[in-house]
Amino acid sequence: FGNEIVYDDASHQYTNALGEIYLSGSKYAEQFEKPFPKEQISNAMARKNGLGDGGAKEIQEMWELKALASASFGTAIHAALELYGRFKKLAESVGKETHLHDNTVLGQAVTSFYEEHPDVSNARYECLVVDHAKKRAGRIDRIEINEDKSVYITDFKTNSDIKKSLSKYWLQLSFYAAILKANGVKVKGLKIYHYAGDKWDTILGDVVDIDKEEA
């Protein structure tokens, strides 16, 4: 949706042919999030527990490694769901099950999701969307297309405390909705599919008018 855009993995930025930087969905949502005071909290924890020199740094490294593990798991879940959704028919046509990931944890998560949501024919994955007029761009995890051609913008989440981050997620998905609307697409609503380790929950949300939020 929206024609050409360039994404740079190193800088995590979208640019057009002129090199102009576009606002992404994640950067947009971050504007409404208070930064975590890691220096202050890690120093206080180190002092309280008598960890001495370097204690605060080790605490921060522990947090960073945990965040990396969480992000990596989320990325793996996304990829495994896309693998199944995009290539199930192809795998079956050649008599294979390569659309289902061999990893036990990923396989269980994917199988349970598609057992609850068997109709994958109306879904599109990793959709790049662009609004050149307002210099906005992003990639949507999954778009579900309804019979009337309206869509649901959906995302997969695996964090343990989903409620704490919902407001940010709705803003990010609404950012994508604004881009789709600029391309003439009717957005019916937002969905978050949350995996808590044993089952999937579906959380519905309304589109927020982000231009009104910014005013």
Side-chain angles (χ1 to χ4, degrees):
F1 300 91
N3 214 332
E4 296 180 359
I5 196 74
V6 176
Y7 181 71
D8 183 88
D9 283 317
S11 62
H12 302 291
Q13 286 183 337
Y14 292 96
T15 57
N16 61 15
L18 299 176
E20 296 171 316
I21 297 174
Y22 282 37
L23 180 63
S24 68
S26 57
K27 291 292 183 183
Y28 170 78
E30 285 174 7
Q31 298 176 92
F32 302 92
E33 197 174 32
K34 291 182 179 179
F36 177 64
K38 64 178 183 180
E39 298 283 349
Q40 180 182 350
I41 294 178
S42 61
N43 284 330
M45 289 176 65
R47 287 195 301 270
K48 181 179 178 180
N49 294 280
L51 298 180
D53 296 339
K57 184 180 178 182
E58 283 195 308
I59 290 172
Q60 291 178 34
E61 290 174 351
M62 175 178 65
W63 290 341
E64 289 168 3
L65 189 57
K66 182 179 181 180
L68 176 62
S70 298
S72 299
F73 180 67
T75 299
I77 289 281
H78 279 73
L81 287 162
E82 182 184 357
L83 173 68
Y84 188 106
R86 284 183 59 193
F87 297 111
K88 181 176 184 290
K89 289 184 178 179
L90 175 62
E92 289 176 343
S93 70
V94 296
K96 300 293 183 181
E97 290 190 343
T98 44
H99 63 291
L100 186 59
H101 201 282
D102 297 334
N103 179 276
T104 304
V105 175
L106 294 179
Q108 192 276 331
V110 170
T111 300
S112 63
F113 177 80
Y114 284 106
E115 283 176 351
E116 296 176 29
H117 308 87
D119 183 11
V120 298
S121 62
N122 68 338
R124 300 293 180 270
Y125 297 83
E126 294 298 314
C127 300
L128 181 64
V129 294
V130 184
D131 178 358
H132 288 292
K134 293 191 174 180
K135 291 187 172 58
R136 294 168 175 169
R139 193 177 295 274
I140 303 174
D141 286 345
R142 172 174 152 123
I143 292 177
E144 296 176 355
I145 305 171
N146 303 306
E147 289 185 2
D148 62 357
K149 304 303 180 183
S150 65
V151 304
Y152 277 102
I153 297 174
T154 72
D155 200 354
F156 301 108
K157 297 298 182 184
T158 57
N159 46 323
S160 56
D161 191 357
I162 187 72
K163 292 181 180 179
K164 189 162 54 175
S165 302
L166 270 180
S167 59
K168 183 183 81 168
Y169 294 153
W170 294 140
L171 286 170
Q172 184 173 350
L173 297 187
S174 294
F175 176 88
Y176 300 139
I179 297 176
L180 286 180
K181 287 180 179 179
N183 284 277
V185 179
K186 180 182 178 182
V187 179
K188 192 169 184 178
L190 313 174
K191 291 182 187 178
I192 289 176
Y193 296 113
H194 178 241
Y195 186 62
D198 57 348
K199 64 184 181 69
W200 290 91
D201 295 318
T202 301
I203 309 170
L204 300 176
D206 296 322
V207 176
V208 177
D209 185 344
I210 67 166
D211 294 309
K212 188 176 181 180
E213 287 283 321
E214 291 178 341

